Amino acid sequence: MNLSDNKATLSFSDGSPSVEMPVYSGSVGPDVIDIRKLYGQTGMFTYDPGFLSTAACQSTITYIDGDKGELLYRGYPIEQLATQCDYLDTCYLLLNGELPNVQQKKDFDHLVTSHTMVNDQMQYFLRGFRRDAHPMAVLTGLVGGMSAFYHDSTDITNPEHRHIAAIRLIAKMPTLVAMAYKYKIGQPYIYPKNSLSYAGNFLHMMFATPCEEYKVNPVLERALDRIFILHADHEQNASTSTVRLCGSSGTNPFAAIAAGVACLWGPAHGGANEACLNMLEDIQRMGGVAKVGEFMEQVKDKNSGVRLMGFGHRVYKNYDPRAKLMQETCKEVLQEMGLENDPLFKLAMALEKIALEDEYFVSRKLYPNVDFYSGIVQRAIGIPVNLFTGIFALARTSGWIAQLNEMIGDPEYKIGRPRQLFTGPVARNVKPANER
Ligand code: CMC
């Protein structure tokens, strides 16, 4: 970051001396005011719940221009990555800063592919869960549990350990997600097949059985790969910030990524794809497209507590570029599966049309986000609704690791420790129970 000629001056109405703070510029995007010395100089903290105006780190990985609806991984537009690269190119890019050349790609694919199996003991660990457990509960446990299986890659301060953990996590996440699914439906686990692509292998582990040959459908393989690319990173979102905060204590990478999985589960974040599909199914049950107007009235009524899931974003105040790409993929997959007249897709299009013209959404700059169409694609592929967020976690793992490793390598990194504005009771004495 570069020190700007500009400086910020904070003055106080009570006559306290004003404070000058440095301003830094990044390569693109808003400047930041460096408030690190503010407490030392004034005895005051800044107050910013939800980090609406706070940059918690400097990063070189992902850039979002929310007004333009632009998303860049290491400078490359998401549209180019989604159409010209595959997910493992994207992982390499996020981890190393550059796209791989032919030899680097071959080596990286081989490295990831040769780490796809998990320790056999993990299946017994998995068996401890109830079969009706939510897959995100199972995944949080399994990913955290990896730290109990791979002791030679748990030292976050050791670059070699971090590299091995990164490869293990990217390689084994699909195996764990597929194992969680097979366990839930009572089918035997399918071992990874190294001759397949990353996405093809995941489809194989999900849908093959030992009884018959499974052939990967290239349209679905490409669609899934695109889902992975689109979800790979999204700068300092809630789960990534969770991974950074968790990792800032020096904990092991598996524990930090498990924290990210747990955070992602929430319906305001990664859980939105599941919530969005459940919403579409509810409207469909209520009467489908004919009931869209009524549903929208509920969404606009603040007392109803109903939100249009898959709409709105903290950063995008324009169409989420991932939603556009996802809508394209949605059409391709539905056509491939002979589901062109899928009622949920029609319903989603109707909701989108109304929302994009409605004053409520227009004035608040609410547009479809990535989750609006991703659920329809995943459902058409055959992925059960409660596994959608697990697929998101699988894909986001590369971003989480890249961000975690960037933080550890940053000489300015410190344990994350936000402060507070205390509004509770001041010091008081405990009274005996009979006097309370
Ligand atoms: N439906 C109806 N109203 C909405 C919606 C929505 N989906 N999203 C925001 N609003 C309204 C909100 O009520 C508020 O109105 P007002 O200014 O009158 O109080 C205004 O828009 C601003 O919303 P906010 O909640 O203050 O904005 P935020 O930046 O805190 O929240 C969000 C962003 C994504 C949590 C929110 O838009 C939301 O809940 N969307 C639905 C869930 C969703 O699709 N999440 C996936 C996000 S993309 C994938 C990911 O990153 O995980």
Side-chain angles (χ1 to χ4, degrees):
M1 60 187 180
N2 297 317
L3 189 61
S4 157
D5 293 338
N6 195 9
K7 281 194 175 61
T9 307
L10 183 64
S11 56
F12 303 90
S13 57
D14 67 357
S16 308
S18 59
V19 180
E20 219 170 61
M21 287 166 296
V23 172
Y24 295 105
S25 304
S27 45
V28 60
D31 289 352
V32 298
I33 304 168
D34 182 349
I35 57 165
R36 280 176 290 184
K37 295 205 174 119
L38 186 70
Y39 178 60
Q41 289 177 346
T42 67
M44 284 187 212
F45 300 132
T46 54
Y47 181 61
D48 186 18
F51 299 104
L52 293 176
S53 298
T54 299
C57 61
Q58 48 174 314
S59 180
T60 60
I61 302 174
T62 293
Y63 177 73
I64 304 172
D65 185 326
D67 293 324
K68 275 205 254 168
E70 180 181 65
L71 170 61
L72 311 173
Y73 294 165
R74 303 278 191 189
Y76 294 110
I78 191 68
E79 293 80 2
Q80 291 182 25
L81 293 169
T83 50
Q84 296 171 42
C85 299
D86 69 14
Y87 178 67
L88 287 184
D89 284 316
T90 308
C91 292
Y92 187 97
L93 173 69
L94 291 172
L95 293 176
N96 301 300
E98 295 297 338
L99 281 166
N101 63 27
V102 175
Q103 189 57 45
Q104 288 165 334
K105 176 67 166 44
K106 210 168 150 225
D107 293 346
F108 188 69
D109 283 4
H110 177 72
L111 185 63
V112 171
T113 307
S114 49
H115 284 85
T116 47
M117 276 210 314
V118 297
N119 186 305
D120 202 47
Q121 181 77 14
M122 284 205 89
Q123 61 172 292
Y124 302 107
F125 176 42
L126 174 57
R127 278 185 202 168
F129 285 97
R130 284 172 53 142
R131 286 198 194 254
D132 61 356
H134 193 285
M136 286 302 279
V138 175
L139 264 186
T140 310
L142 289 181
V143 175
M146 284 176 79
S147 44
F149 288 93
Y150 302 104
H151 297 152
D152 57 345
S153 53
T154 51
D155 179 2
I156 211 163
T157 61
N158 181 329
E160 185 61 18
H161 278 220
R162 294 204 297 271
H163 174 66
I164 299 171
I167 300 303
R168 281 185 172 147
L169 278 156
I170 291 170
K172 295 181 201 304
M173 268 306 258
T175 314
L176 295 179
V177 174
M179 279 171 74
Y181 171 63
K182 289 294 197 189
Y183 178 69
K184 194 172 179 60
I185 61 169
Q187 285 187 5
Y189 312 122
I190 300 293
Y191 285 117
K193 201 169 185 181
N194 289 356
S195 56
L196 296 172
S197 71
Y198 189 85
N201 177 46
F202 180 64
L203 287 169
H204 164 78
M205 290 189 292
M206 284 284 292
F207 301 119
T209 68
C211 319
E212 52 192 51
E213 205 47 43
Y214 176 79
K215 205 165 161 334
V216 175
N217 177 323
V219 175
L220 305 191
E221 182 183 15
R222 184 67 207 146
L224 196 60
D225 195 70
R226 180 174 278 193
I227 291 179
F228 294 163
I229 295 173
L230 299 185
H231 287 86
D233 196 46
H234 215 227
E235 51 120 308
Q236 309 310 320
N237 56 83
S239 58
T240 301
S241 300
T242 300
V243 169
R244 279 185 178 255
L245 190 58
C246 186
S248 77
S249 73
T251 192
N252 71 76
F254 304 109
I257 302 301
V261 176
C263 176
L264 188 75
W265 190 359
H269 192 10
N273 49 20
E274 177 176 346
C276 181
L277 203 94
N278 288 336
M279 172 193 79
L280 292 174
E281 283 179 339
D282 284 347
I283 306 173
Q284 190 59 26
R285 270 192 293 276
M286 277 158 47
V289 176
K291 292 284 175 183
V292 163
E294 201 179 299
F295 177 75
M296 284 306 211
E297 287 314 309
Q298 281 182 36
V299 169
K300 291 190 278 180
D301 174 5
K302 283 285 153 80
N303 300 320
S304 72
V306 177
R307 282 202 166 193
L308 180 57
M309 300 312 286
F311 252 74
H313 199 275
R314 170 63 59 81
V315 184
Y316 292 118
K317 300 302 165 200
N318 201 330
Y319 213 99
D320 179 341
R322 302 169 301 170
K324 277 194 195 128
L325 291 156
M326 196 54 82
Q327 196 194 50
E328 242 175 50
T329 299
C330 192
K331 285 184 186 150
E332 278 165 29
V333 169
L334 293 177
Q335 193 178 14
E336 173 67 15
M337 304 307 281
L339 296 168
E340 293 93 333
N341 294 320
D342 180 54
L344 289 197
F345 183 61
K346 291 214 158 127
L347 184 57
M349 300 276 280
L351 279 168
E352 179 185 327
K353 187 167 183 307
I354 293 182
L356 292 179
E357 288 165 1
D358 191 297
E359 216 289 308
Y360 175 95
F361 291 89
V362 174
S363 62
R364 290 171 179 76
K365 299 191 175 160
L366 301 171
Y367 291 87
N369 60 51
V370 67
D371 293 320
F372 198 62
Y373 289 104
S374 73
I376 301 175
V377 180
Q378 294 188 58
R379 178 170 150 276
I381 292 176
I383 296 167
V385 178
N386 63 12
L387 205 65
F388 290 179
T389 316
I391 306 289
F392 191 161
L394 182 173
R396 184 55 59 86
T397 297
S398 54
W400 286 331
I401 299 166
Q403 299 269 354
L404 179 65
N405 288 351
E406 179 178 68
M407 180 189 75
I408 306 293
D410 182 348
E412 296 201 336
Y413 117 82
K414 287 183 183 307
I415 184 168
R417 182 29 172 118
R419 306 303 290 255
Q420 63 174 6
L421 173 66
F422 184 70
T423 56
V426 294
R428 51 186 173 159
N429 294 321
V430 173
K431 288 185 183 157
N434 60 359
E435 289 177 28
R436 282 177 216 158

